[in-house]
Amino acid sequence: MISKPLPGPGSNPELLRIAIESAANAIFITNGAGEIEWVNPAFESLTGYTEAEAIGRNPRILKSGRQQETLYEDLWKTVLSRRVWSGRLTNRHKSGRLYTVEQTITPICDDDGVITHFVAIHEDITARLASEAKVAYMAVHDYLTGLPNRYALDQRLDLELERSRRLGTRVGGLWVDLDNFKDVNDTFGHSFGDALLVAAGKRLARVCRGVDLTCRLGGDEFAIVMPDVEERTHVANLAERVVRAFSEPFEVDKQKIFISVSVGAAISEPDRTSRSEFTKQADLALYSAKEGGRNGYRFFQGGMDARSQRRMNLGQDLHWAVKRDELFLEYQPQVGLDERRVVGTEALVRWQHPSLGVVAPMEFIPVAESSGLIKPIGDWVLEAACTQAKAWLANDDLPSLPVAVNVSAVQLREPRFAEHVLQILHDKDLPPEYLELELTERVLMDRSPMVERTLRTLHEFGVCISLDDFGKGYASLDYLRRYPLSKIKIDRSFVHDMESNAKNATIVTAVIDLAAKLKLTVIAEGVEPENLVRRLVTEGCEQVQGFYFSKPLPPKSVEELLTLGNDRIRANRPEAGRARPA
Ligand code: C2E
Ligand code: CA
Ligand code: CA
């Protein structure tokens, strides 16, 4: 309650008027009957009513109808008992739009204690509330897909697990990861990838029941939480529906694209599953689904722990592998069958893990591919192999041989891959014909014009391109015409049992014929017993690579093999002393 003139500026009415008129807050004064007598300019802009429109009216004109009547009752009770009221009010602008203010109403009394005026100050907090709401929304939603985010998932899981403890029900969870999403991103670009993620999120949400929570965990990983699960089959059914939903193509940027999903499924044990256990189990199940060939789902099982844990740990440790210089290369000789002499080598990467010993590429390359680490690792392999090839080339005691390097799909889809390779050749001063790149069919499958350009550039500069594991993947004869290939490597799975498996023998023979007609060099992989070598000679196969002649060797042993002459290759295995008829 104010009953005396204010001190300070109050003694200077002009100064007081300027201060009030220029205030950012809307201020109005009513008489004791509640009729507006005075408003400041901020009032006019906040409410939309001009001074002329407002004077003489009751502040009721500002009412939005959104406020509970009890609030006004409290307001009047307070001010009529000569106390200051403050609170939050949602009002209506003259145009009809709503706004929210923090309002203070101060009653002013004369010397007899009779209320003569009310002074109301309104601070517009509409924008602040909106941004607060936005921040609150963003805290629990994923910006891209609009789905709840990982934080929301954690909150919901805590809630559901707590409920399941009380009611003895179970919680189901599906961890969903798009297969080969990195490839899509690398090939079609990030905005395409983003659009695909949005569409995938929508599709997932559509498959679920209303009570399920679908969220995006980040990247191409989503999760679904199912409350009140009665039976395992309910979770399995949803997992199946999810996998099936992704058998239909997506349409992004007028392009149809197929992308499958891998799903890890987990169910809580009533009474004893914590959130961290639950998410770990779903994660492990997802890893297992990925390992199991993708495009499917797996439930968590006890035994998964160790194997998948190892894979996850490898993923962590792999970050250090290049930095700590833990990778090294071995070289497996490729042997020409006409003269039985080494005609080249294939560089194969190994990882000297600090505690696990030597880890095979079959185990860590897939981990590297799915984590993006394949780029630094692939670069390291390329440089190391070119350095080695150059050293051998510069050594007059050794024959000049090309070195083949395996290139992952992820590397080849880098827009500047060709330039990068040519730069390395230049830096190492290695003529391009001493480098061979081995690609698998997976890379060629999506017919990207960029990949085609990359291969053409490399081919024009003299780098030889060979198609690895031929027949194992999506073998299409179309690749052989379309891309500038020089060599086909027939996959081990056809070669190793061609003596006993007539079908495989037919395939090998057909590929050898085809390669001859297309003027491509052909090499058979995984050749172990001698009779296979003889058979391949008969079929007209030009080159072989396999344990029969040599396992992958450290560079020193390769040099030894080459200086001791190819006699040893001709006569027997590289292990000395075990003579074998030529
Ligand atoms: P790959 O390119 O098909 O390489 C041949 C694999 O077959 C090698 O396994 C080699 O040791 C094995 N091998 C060769 N001859 C025989 C044989 O007579 N019998 C049997 N049973 N196996 C034979 P390794 O070194 O374990 O490599 C496995 C795969 O890892 C490679 O298959 C390749 O796909 C990948 N890899 C290896 N090094 C690299 C690399 O630097 N970059 C990339 N992206 N992948 C690599
Ligand atoms: Ca290879
Ligand atoms: Ca191969």
Side-chain angles (χ1 to χ4, degrees), residues 346 406 438 468 489:
E346 175 181 3
N406 292 283
E438 297 196 359
D468 205 351
K489 303 188 79 177

Side-chain angles (χ1 to χ4, degrees), residues 176-189:
V176 181
D177 190 289
L178 306 187
D179 296 331
N180 304 322
F181 177 73
K182 272 205 159 51
D183 291 355
V184 174
N185 235 1
D186 293 343
T187 310
F188 298 103

Side-chain angles (χ1 to χ4, degrees), residues 332 346 349-350 361 381 406 468-469 492 525-526 528 546-547 552:
Q332 189 175 33
E346 175 181 3
V349 67
R350 280 91 182 81
V381 170
N406 292 283
D468 205 351
D469 304 343
R492 196 173 84 83
E525 287 191 284
E528 289 189 37
F547 292 174

Side-chain angles (χ1 to χ4, degrees), residues 328-330 332-333 346-350 359-366 369 374 377-378 380-382 404-409 411 438 440 468-469 472 489 491-492 496 524-529 545-552:
F328 65 97
L329 294 179
E330 287 190 325
Q332 189 175 33
E346 175 181 3
L348 294 157
V349 67
R350 280 91 182 81
V359 183
M362 289 296 246
E363 192 173 0
F364 73 83
I365 291 289
E369 284 182 330
I374 190 67
I377 292 175
W380 182 88
V381 170
L382 262 170
V405 172
N406 292 283
V407 175
S408 145
Q411 286 172 275
E438 297 196 359
T440 55
D468 205 351
D469 304 343
K472 191 171 141 192
K489 303 188 79 177
D491 191 63
R492 196 173 84 83
H496 82 282
E525 287 191 284
V527 176
E528 289 189 37
Q545 178 180 344
F547 292 174
Y548 172 71
F549 288 113
S550 173
K551 297 203 160 165

Side-chain angles (χ1 to χ4, degrees), residues 193-501:
D194 283 355
L196 182 61
L197 287 173
V198 171
K202 281 198 184 123
R203 192 171 289 188
L204 277 178
R206 257 209 320 274
V207 176
C208 297
R209 304 170 299 169
V211 290
D212 302 333
L213 179 78
T214 310
C215 6
R216 176 168 176 233
L217 300 180
D220 58 344
E221 241 188 84
F222 297 84
I224 298 169
V225 178
M226 306 170 68
D228 300 325
V229 169
E230 276 158 26
E231 285 173 49
R232 186 185 155 99
T233 48
H234 294 166
V235 181
N237 286 344
L238 184 61
E240 242 162 55
R241 284 215 304 280
V242 166
V243 172
R244 225 177 315 122
F246 282 76
S247 62
E248 292 292 317
F250 285 91
E251 197 169 318
V252 178
D253 280 357
K254 300 204 172 65
Q255 288 198 67
K256 279 207 166 42
I257 176 148
F258 283 94
I259 190 144
S260 59
V261 286
S262 301
V263 181
I267 302 184
S268 71
E269 291 296 330
D271 231 35
R272 59 185 167 90
T273 308
S274 68
R275 162 154 61 86
S276 66
E277 257 175 299
F278 187 83
T279 51
K280 190 178 137 204
Q281 293 184 355
D283 244 346
L284 288 170
L286 175 60
Y287 263 104
S288 160
K290 287 262 174 212
E291 275 181 338
R294 303 165 185 229
N295 191 21
Y297 73 93
R298 288 269 173 97
F299 268 97
F300 170 76
Q301 284 168 353
M304 268 173 196
D305 252 349
R307 208 159 26 90
S308 302
Q309 196 67 52
R310 175 175 161 109
R311 209 185 130 116
M312 281 209 254
N313 290 344
L314 284 183
Q316 290 297 315
D317 297 346
L318 202 50
H319 281 274
W320 297 101
V322 175
K323 287 198 189 87
R324 291 185 185 150
D325 207 15
E326 291 168 357
L327 300 176
F328 65 97
L329 294 179
E330 287 190 325
Y331 297 83
Q332 189 175 33
Q334 302 178 328
V335 174
L337 286 177
D338 50 352
E339 295 179 50
R340 292 218 173 186
R341 131 185 116 71
V342 178
V343 292
T345 59
E346 175 181 3
L348 294 157
V349 67
R350 280 91 182 81
W351 176 16
Q352 181 68 54
H353 188 280
S355 57
L356 299 171
V358 176
V359 183
M362 289 296 246
E363 192 173 0
F364 73 83
I365 291 289
V367 178
E369 284 182 330
S370 58
S371 64
L373 284 171
I374 190 67
K375 281 176 196 155
I377 292 175
D379 284 351
W380 182 88
V381 170
L382 262 170
E383 292 198 20
C386 288
T387 307
Q388 184 62 71
K390 175 67 189 182
W392 282 337
L393 196 61
N395 186 336
D396 290 337
D397 297 334
L398 301 174
S400 310
L401 302 176
V403 171
V405 172
N406 292 283
V407 175
S408 145
V410 184
Q411 286 172 275
L412 198 72
R413 288 186 187 126
E414 282 282 282
R416 301 182 53 78
F417 182 70
E419 285 91 327
H420 184 57
V421 172
L422 295 173
Q423 185 65 49
I424 292 175
L425 288 170
H426 178 264
D427 293 347
K428 306 289 174 193
D429 190 26
L430 182 69
E433 58 272 27
Y434 291 99
L435 177 66
E436 207 174 289
L437 297 179
E438 297 196 359
L439 327 171
T440 55
E441 289 157 310
R442 187 154 83 83
V443 194
L444 307 181
M445 200 180 67
D446 48 43
R447 298 158 199 281
S448 139
M450 196 182 72
V451 167
E452 197 177 328
R453 259 198 316 279
T454 296
L455 295 181
R456 293 224 172 273
T457 307
L458 289 166
H459 176 78
E460 274 157 24
F461 275 86
V463 177
C464 169
I465 313 287
S466 66
L467 191 52
D468 205 351
D469 304 343
F470 186 76
K472 191 171 141 192
Y474 316 84
S476 157
L477 300 178
D478 182 41
Y479 303 148
L480 304 181
R481 276 188 302 137
R482 188 181 169 107
Y483 297 99
L485 304 170
S486 312
K487 190 169 180 178
I488 301 179
K489 303 188 79 177
I490 311 176
D491 191 63
R492 196 173 84 83
S493 57
F494 299 101
V495 177
H496 82 282
D497 65 349
M498 65 182 279
E499 286 290 70
S500 56
N501 183 328

